[in-house]
Amino acid sequence: MTPRPFAPTFEHHAPGRLGIGEARPRLSWRLADAAPDYRQQAAELRIAITSPDGTTATSVHRLDGEDQILVDWPARALRSREGVTAQVRVFDGVGWSPWSYPGSIEIGLLDASDWVASFVGPDEPASSDSAPPGRLRSEFELPSVPMRARLYVTAHGLAEVELNGSRVGDEELTPGWTSYRHRLRYATFDVTDLLQEGPNAIGVWLGDGWWRGRLGFRGGLTRVYGDHLAALVQLEVTTTENERIVVVSDDTWQAGAGPMLTSSLYDGEHFDARLHDSAWSRIRSRLDGWTTVAVRSNTATLVAPTGPPMRCVEELTPVTISDKGGGRWIVDFGQNHSGRIRITMPTTPGHEIRIRHAEVLQAGELCTEPLRSAEATDVLVTGETEGWWEPRFTIHGYRYVEISGWPGTLRPSHLVSRVIHTDLARRGWFHSSNALLEKLHENVVWSLRSNFVDIPTDCPQRDERLGWTGDLQVFAPSAAFLYDVTGMLSSWLQDLAAEQAELEWVPPYVPYISLEPFASLPRDPMAAWGDVAVLTPDVLHMATADLALLGRQVDSAVQWIKHVESAAGPTRICHDTEQFGDWLDPAAPPDNPFEATTDRYLVATAYFAHSAKRLAAIGELLGQAEIANRYERLADEVRDAYASTYVRPNGRLTSDSQTAYALTTVFDLWPDEESETAGTARLAELVRRSSGGIATGFVGTPLVCDALTLGGHLSEAYQLLEHTECPSWLYPVLMGATTIWERWDSLTPDGLVNTGQMTSFNHYALGAVSDWLHRVVAGIEPAAPGYRHIRFAPRPGGTLIEAGARHITPYGEASVDWKLEDDRLKVHVSVPVGASATVELPDSDPVEIRHGDHEFSTTIVTPARSPTASRTGR
Ligand code: BGC
């Protein structure tokens, strides 16, 4: 009998998620081990829909064929608040498997008319610059015990809710950062257990967050979205008597100041525990100092989450604590990360404990220059309350903290660091026999984690933390392998499309805020950054087979290319436009990262050709022939223009740089084979000449090893990869890095922090090489969307004697492990049920395989030009 399938999952949601926004969520299921000749021929879905009053209707739907990923919703459209379970069983032509266990999900509020609550907040004048964020509260009666209760909440600013003195849920920084002018996300919580028959109290902490807090560099902006904080709270209760009671935020609620004096994402939080009444969100007879709220209007569309929330996902304990004297301590958590400190509160009132954060130390003290103007300082004034204290509405990027004002001896048991980011599911792993490479890869994972904080940010520590489009564009292939990022990024891409439609421009960061200099510059299409509109949906589709995501983004992709096309004009060359170019090329002066070796217009034109080509492919996938044909033609024209402008007859490029050769090769822009051979040979020569020193910035870095591989210069690719002097990927590892640095030399070889403005120790862009580690070093990549067909093509080289990677594909886990024993290459691959694969080993003919475990062994000749290298990964 066919084994039982796993419980179905819905869209990109975690099992059991509440408050999703899809009325027709697509379903996916995985099949565990099955006989080698097993093939799903049909599936049956048993769908049970439960309305909030507890009545359930079940239906069974048969689907013929092999599909098991993001299958269209087979039942009737779901309505707000309905709970759904889905079970699947599969047919292999002979018999049916047992039914899977049920997968479940609950629908949120789908229609604007579902919302009866009002946005309410403290009634304060618009000009009050430093108004403390404040709190809200209300009381209500429940005639009987709740059977089911849901709390729907969002805010202008940030909100954390308490019911009868208990915190609701474990989500952080709710509602996250979307393009608030267009879309505002809400969260849904099951609060059944927090309510009681009779009187109940609800309280809401408010924080400035992205709504009103300081955002951006060069002083930045405050009150970007509004002057006033407000929360929208709707509590829907069904009692055991089946009575429906709705409690909403409205003009009867009250607002009051609290112990939180300031709260800023960049600067930290100031909390005076002496002002804290820990019973504030409980029922009480007397209320002092609470006043009537003001009702605020809202213009954004309220949307449900498509990805996971932010949470504390791990706690780090101190590795060392150094006594600096006078109640001052420096604590090393051993790992750069995003999060906050949780500290035990000394119970003697009136101590001012300051917690400062930094990524690095210099001469044993915190070095805060990389934070630029972000204060990253949390202040706790102690009161009489016992227990832990942790700031609520701030987040920092750090490895070290300085604690001052601590009474007595600071011990490891007094504090932990709470690692906070979007709670993404891990999907990919890599290993190799080179310990430095393993550390490099681990650093990539930590930089991803530190920067997937609701939106994909550039860095977690300084006065930016913006959704820089270029950083994500180059890193998306790595991210999509390492974590399940599709739900989170599909929200961000919708924001991108919304901003783009309004601005007629893909801004360099999303959500867009009008920071200088970008607010005053011409809205030129900025290559590699704006190309995210085409390339990231494409990458996500390849990883997950989510065609609907492509369909949703295709207009944004078309508009982007149209913009580039009109800026380039009939020459098809992107001259005279604002460009970042090969940002942070190591040869650029520290104070001018724009001054890269590679001609920025070459970069822009190469991207134009590549994105037009990928857009044509997207058109093809969506069955939109007009897009496919138009952009195929355009891509060819740009390619020709590129070749005649930048390629010299001998295969040299007008910019004789690693990045220029990398772009031309990986984006397939050489006019003929001879120039490609000569060009890639030149790239290999440049690498040898620099003894393996990398010379690329954000643009060339993700491509250079691929270009060398494609050109048959694998040993130079490994030379770059395993180089340890500055600049190289492994130099930071040897300098003690625990994350990927923004620049190759954030710490210079003399151990000093680079004085340039772009000196973060936690930017993922240069870690984009991990995509090459996965696809080429380990040798696993999708050869069909969603890994329905997998390509295993490990390319051993350098000092490695073994490597491997595994990835939880939509079908289940796929893995490759290889080992060199003298000249024998031994390879183990594993293919999940429902997928198939091609195994391409060096000097061997490709082999087609189906699901299951497979072993291969071949004699390896010294790496040579490989006709089988592929361009599919980019
Ligand atoms: C950010 C980047 C970004 C760049 C663009 C920087 O300040 O940190 O990573 O892509 O600006 O110019």
Side-chain angles (χ1 to χ4, degrees):
M1 188 168 60
T2 313
R4 186 195 297 275
F6 290 105
T9 53
F10 299 73
E11 293 289 326
H12 302 286
H13 297 292
R17 188 93 159 103
L18 299 183
I20 71 160
E22 294 89 359
R24 298 184 159 277
R26 292 164 300 166
L27 294 165
S28 310
W29 56 90
R30 293 181 194 161
L31 304 167
D33 314 332
D37 59 348
Y38 171 81
R39 200 180 278 260
Q40 174 189 310
Q41 293 194 7
E44 263 183 1
L45 287 158
R46 183 151 75 193
I47 310 280
I49 304 176
T50 306
S51 58
D53 66 10
T55 51
T56 298
T58 303
S59 57
V60 175
H61 309 263
R62 183 185 163 115
L63 308 166
D64 287 320
E66 296 182 7
D67 287 352
Q68 58 180 100
I69 302 305
L70 297 172
V71 171
D72 283 341
W73 180 245
R76 70 154 169 83
L78 297 164
R79 295 192 270 265
S80 296
R81 307 172 183 88
E82 285 180 332
V84 191
T85 63
Q87 287 173 277
V88 64
R89 62 174 190 159
V90 294
F91 180 66
D92 64 357
V94 181
W96 285 93
S97 73
W99 284 103
S100 71
Y101 290 110
S104 68
I105 210 95
E106 189 179 291
I107 310 303
L109 302 183
L110 299 179
D111 304 310
S113 60
D114 289 322
W115 290 95
V116 284
S118 308
F119 278 85
V120 300
D123 191 3
E124 61 199 3
S127 59
S128 53
D129 250 357
S130 54
R135 297 187 291 195
L136 308 171
R137 74 184 303 285
S138 183
E139 297 186 7
F140 55 93
E141 289 277 327
L142 289 183
S144 52
V145 179
M147 179 185 76
R148 173 193 192 271
R150 296 290 181 265
L151 183 87
Y152 304 95
V153 60
T154 187
H156 292 166
L158 301 175
E160 193 182 292
V161 183
E162 292 184 13
L163 273 170
N164 299 320
S166 297
R167 178 177 172 182
V168 170
D170 59 357
E171 301 189 5
E172 299 293 348
L173 304 175
T174 306
W177 192 13
T178 45
S179 171
Y180 292 148
R181 286 193 311 275
H182 307 99
R183 302 167 67 246
L184 176 59
R185 203 185 295 131
Y186 65 89
T188 304
F189 300 96
D190 179 354
V191 294
T192 317
D193 294 341
L194 299 179
L195 296 169
Q196 61 204 18
E197 184 179 344
N200 290 267
I202 185 165
V204 183
W205 293 91
L206 292 173
D208 290 351
W210 296 278
W211 185 267
R212 181 173 93 163
R214 182 159 75 92
L215 290 181
F217 39 81
R218 299 193 190 173
L221 303 168
T222 50
R223 301 174 176 253
V224 170
Y225 297 99
D227 289 309
H228 302 291
L229 301 182
L232 177 76
V233 181
Q234 186 157 314
L235 171 66
E236 300 191 353
V237 184
T238 311
T239 67
T240 42
E241 311 287 291
N242 221 345
E243 195 178 341
R244 188 165 176 267
I245 291 158
V246 182
V247 176
V248 297
S249 49
D250 61 17
D251 58 5
T252 66
W253 283 38
Q254 294 197 296
M260 191 192 294
L261 304 180
T262 62
S263 108
S264 154
L265 291 164
Y266 292 175
D267 298 326
E269 209 156 285
H270 191 154
F271 189 91
D272 190 338
R274 291 171 306 185
L275 306 175
H276 190 39
D277 165 8
S278 54
W280 73 282
S281 62
R282 293 180 192 279
I283 288 296
R284 52 202 306 157
S285 49
R286 265 193 57 203
L287 279 179
D288 295 327
W290 290 79
T291 54
T292 320
V293 291
V295 174
R296 307 288 178 196
S297 60
N298 174 61
T299 50
T301 308
L302 300 180
V303 296
T306 54
M310 289 167 280
R311 285 199 180 98
C312 168
V313 287
E314 182 176 351
E315 287 187 346
L316 303 177
T317 50
V319 175
T320 59
I321 299 185
S322 322
D323 185 353
K324 292 288 175 182
R328 206 166 63 84
W329 307 81
I330 293 210
V331 186
D332 178 5
F333 285 96
Q335 175 62 56
N336 201 0
H337 62 285
S338 57
R340 318 188 275 247
I341 298 298
R342 181 177 270 196
I343 195 162
T344 43
M345 289 193 278
T347 45
T348 32
H351 286 289
E352 185 174 295
I353 298 169
R354 299 178 81 78
I355 311 173
R356 295 168 63 229
H357 303 72
E359 296 181 290
V360 277
L361 298 182
Q362 295 274 263
E365 296 290 341
L366 299 191
C367 174
T368 53
E369 274 72 32
L371 308 182
R372 298 195 195 139
S373 72
E375 295 286 335
T377 303
D378 296 319
V379 181
L380 164 70
V381 180
T382 57
E384 272 159 23
T385 341
E386 280 184 30
W388 292 98
W389 177 76
E390 176 190 344
R392 262 185 192 78
F393 296 129
T394 189
I395 184 163
H396 309 291
Y398 59 101
R399 166 175 170 172
Y400 302 93
V401 295
E402 179 205 77
I403 312 272
S404 55
W406 183 262
T409 303
L410 184 71
R411 300 193 190 285
S413 59
H414 288 136
L415 74 174
V416 291
S417 187
R418 312 238 308 152
V419 179
I420 294 172
H421 51 74
T422 298
D423 190 6
L424 302 165
R426 184 83 189 254
R427 286 287 181 259
W429 293 264
F430 168 83
H431 68 90
S432 83
S433 52
N434 180 340
L436 296 178
L437 270 191
E438 298 229 310
K439 182 64 180 158
L440 170 74
H441 192 266
E442 195 185 322
N443 292 355
V444 172
V445 169
W446 273 104
S447 278
L448 184 159
R449 294 178 57 183
S450 317
N451 283 299
F452 275 58
V453 178
D454 206 44
I455 61 160
T457 61
D458 55 338
C459 55
Q461 75 299 81
R462 70 177 178 223
D463 53 5
E464 293 208 42
R465 315 182 197 182
L466 302 173
W468 284 96
T469 51
D471 304 42
L472 179 72
Q473 188 276 114
V474 299
F475 189 66
S478 300
F481 183 87
L482 293 168
Y483 281 88
D484 185 355
V485 294
T486 306
M488 169 181 150
L489 292 181
S490 78
S491 166
W492 183 79
L493 285 168
Q494 288 179 60
D495 280 348
L496 181 140
E499 301 280 17
Q500 180 188 10
E502 186 187 327
L503 302 163
E504 298 183 349
W505 178 47
V506 176
Y509 42 83
V510 172
Y512 178 70
I513 58 174
S514 59
L515 288 167
E516 294 300 345
F518 300 102
S520 308
L521 287 174
R523 290 184 176 169
D524 286 340
M526 297 166 104
W529 273 251
D531 286 283
V532 74
V534 180
L535 302 179
T536 300
D538 191 29
V539 164
L540 296 177
H541 169 256
M542 199 60 182
T544 63
D546 190 342
L547 205 58
L549 184 148
L550 271 190
R552 221 170 26 240
Q553 296 301 132
V554 68
D555 187 50
S556 149
V558 167
Q559 295 312 322
W560 160 253
I561 295 292
K562 282 193 172 162
H563 191 188
V564 182
E565 189 181 350
S566 85
T571 65
R572 306 294 193 213
I573 298 294
C574 301
H575 273 313
D576 303 324
T577 43
E578 291 294 334
Q579 297 295 341
F580 292 120
D582 192 22
W583 186 253
L584 288 169
D585 156 346
D591 57 352
N592 193 355
F594 288 94
E595 282 311 311
T597 325
T598 310
D599 176 348
R600 65 188 69 167
Y601 304 126
L602 176 154
V603 170
T605 309
Y607 258 100
F608 181 19
H610 179 59
S611 284
K613 182 109 189 156
R614 292 313 307 160
L615 177 56
I618 291 172
E620 182 86 44
L621 281 163
L622 293 171
Q624 300 195 20
E626 206 188 302
I627 292 183
N629 298 335
R630 184 179 192 285
Y631 292 102
E632 187 70 45
R633 264 199 318 277
L634 178 65
D636 288 343
E637 285 170 30
V638 182
R639 199 171 178 273
D640 291 346
Y642 179 90
S644 52
T645 311
Y646 299 113
V647 183
R648 298 208 164 116
N650 52 4
R652 287 283 172 97
L653 294 169
T654 52
S655 287
D656 190 28
S657 68
Q658 290 184 10
T659 293
Y661 291 105
L663 281 166
T664 313
T665 307
V666 179
F667 291 174
D668 200 11
L669 301 176
W670 294 105
D672 50 56
E673 224 175 279
E674 292 78 65
S675 42
E676 173 158 12
T677 307
T680 51
R682 175 62 182 166
L683 172 59
E685 188 184 342
L686 290 178
V687 172
R688 288 193 301 271
R689 277 207 192 166
S690 67
S691 311
I694 189 118
T696 55
F698 277 25
V699 166
T701 300
L703 308 178
V704 64
C705 288
D706 269 305
L708 289 161
T709 315
L710 285 162
H713 304 286
L714 190 65
S715 55
E716 283 82 357
Y718 271 98
Q719 196 184 355
L720 273 183
L721 179 70
E722 295 195 290
H723 190 62
T724 50
E725 314 263 293
C726 183
S728 69
W729 282 291
L730 298 185
Y731 160 76
V733 172
L734 286 170
M735 295 295 278
T738 60
T739 37
I740 302 298
W741 296 349
E742 177 175 27
R743 56 190 319 125
W744 297 107
D745 57 351
S746 284
L747 213 54
T748 53
D750 51 14
L752 296 178
V753 169
N754 195 306
T755 52
Q757 277 288 293
M758 302 295 159
T759 304
S760 132
F761 289 84
N762 206 352
H763 257 64
Y764 48 56
L766 300 182
V769 68
S770 57
D771 178 45
W772 189 76
L773 297 179
H774 308 143
R775 285 185 294 105
V776 181
V777 175
I780 174 172
E781 65 180 315
Y787 291 80
R788 187 167 200 154
H789 192 72
I790 303 168
R791 178 173 188 257
F792 293 110
R795 305 295 311 276
T799 67
L800 298 188
I801 50 167
E802 59 179 75
R806 63 195 173 95
H807 177 71
I808 301 176
T809 75
Y811 293 89
E813 183 169 312
S815 66
V816 55
D817 293 283
W818 60 258
K819 204 181 230 172
L820 275 178
E821 286 173 6
D822 301 324
D823 60 350
R824 291 302 286 171
L825 171 66
K826 296 193 165 169
V827 184
H828 174 105
V829 303
S830 162
V831 181
V833 181
S836 55
T838 306
V839 181
E840 297 171 29
L841 301 184
D843 311 310
S844 310
D845 290 332
V847 180
E848 299 300 321
I849 54 171
R850 302 202 46 218
H851 62 258
D853 288 313
H854 305 263
E855 307 279 348
F856 299 87
S857 172
T858 181
T859 306
I860 193 165
V861 200
T862 328
R865 187 180 166 82
S866 156
T868 58
S870 94
R871 284 188 171 87
T872 56
R874 296 290 319 167

